[in-house]
Amino acid sequence: MDQYLVCGEGYRAVREAVAKATVGCPTKDIKAACEGCGGSPAERTVYLLLAVFREVTTLYRATNPVLLPKPELCQALEGFIQNSGVLESQGVRTFATALVRNSLGPLRVRADRPGVEHTLTELAVHLSAVLHCGEGGVLSPLRQLAMSPSNMRGEPLTPVPPKFSPTSTPNIRHGQSM
């Protein structure tokens, strides 16, 4: 079951275009679906990344080599990713290419993994897609934590309220009010 369908009709349209590309339809249909699905550019990018995962990357779960993505398909999708203009940043294009190649390191899809690992991989890919595309707010520190954790040393995710600052901690421990 495609758990990403909760993303709505925009995602469904992009996913169907990617699915058609896997059986030989031109990749220009993917671009048309992305442009016609509505939503912000970031939403369209997330839809495309999730659709590539669902329709291409998950094919690597197959134990039958005939069902694995064909090199021609991967080449066509990689060309689309690099040249279509749909995926604007190099980081997003690199992530999308890794999805096509199933080269996501520990998130790589394999046939010998249990179902629960596949579900966790789906969640991690969804989170990664959102972090690659989202802007501002709570996503900024989360993106920093996920993409460059060494830069987060000594940085709180949110400002510490004065009531819970290090100097107030002894008062809290002893039940004193501030």
Side-chain angles (χ1 to χ4, degrees), residues 110-123:
R110 293 189 355 215
D112 63 347
R113 301 262 171 98
V116 70
E117 275 192 48
H118 291 293
T119 302
L120 290 172
T121 299
E122 288 179 17
L123 290 170

